């Protein structure tokens, strides 16, 4: 997406469509900080990928979650993180 304007346009459109349908949008396959930054700028809600964490057992994921973090699914993808706005 960072190297191709047509790919960026598709990602931007999918995020906008999800938000217009009152959905939270998860970007999968994020492999570098540039992808995280670009997705933050597009207001993507969640990101997942090897840049954040490699695959792990469910029990390991639970250990990484903040204490008191609600777990409302029996399957949570590895490496899911909130796409926080840039600091500053």
């Amino acid at each position: 997406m960072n190297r191709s304007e047509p790919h960026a346009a598709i990602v931007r459109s999918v995020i906008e469509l999800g938000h217009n349908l009152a959905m939270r949008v998860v970007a999968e396959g994020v492999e570098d900080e540039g992808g995280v930054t670009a997705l933050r700028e597009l207001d993507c809600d969640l990101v997942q990928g090897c840049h954040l964490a490699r695959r792990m057992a469910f029990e390991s994921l639970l250990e990484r979650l903040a204490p008191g973090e609600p777990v409302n699914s029996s399957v949570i993808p590895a490496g899911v993180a909130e796409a926080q706005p840039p600091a500053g």
Side-chain angles (χ1 to χ4, degrees):
M1 141 178 151
N2 287 336
R3 290 174 237 154
S4 167
E5 182 51 39
H7 291 166
I10 291 169
V11 172
R12 186 171 37 254
S13 296
V14 169
I15 292 170
E16 288 176 10
L17 175 62
H19 289 164
N20 288 336
L21 294 171
M23 297 177 163
R24 292 182 75 190
V25 179
V26 179
E28 296 183 347
V30 179
E31 297 181 359
D32 57 35
E33 189 60 33
V36 173
T37 299
L39 290 162
R40 282 179 182 151
E41 291 172 1
L42 295 174
D43 295 323
C44 187
D45 301 300
L46 299 164
V47 294
Q48 170 192 359
C50 293
H51 177 65
L52 302 166
R54 298 281 178 196
R55 291 180 184 220
M56 66 184 77
F58 182 72
E59 292 77 20
S60 298
L61 175 63
L62 291 177
E63 291 171 7
R64 291 183 66 159
L65 293 174
E69 181 77 20
V71 178
N72 55 15
S73 173
S74 61
V75 179
I76 300 175
V80 172
E82 295 283 340
Q84 300 297 323

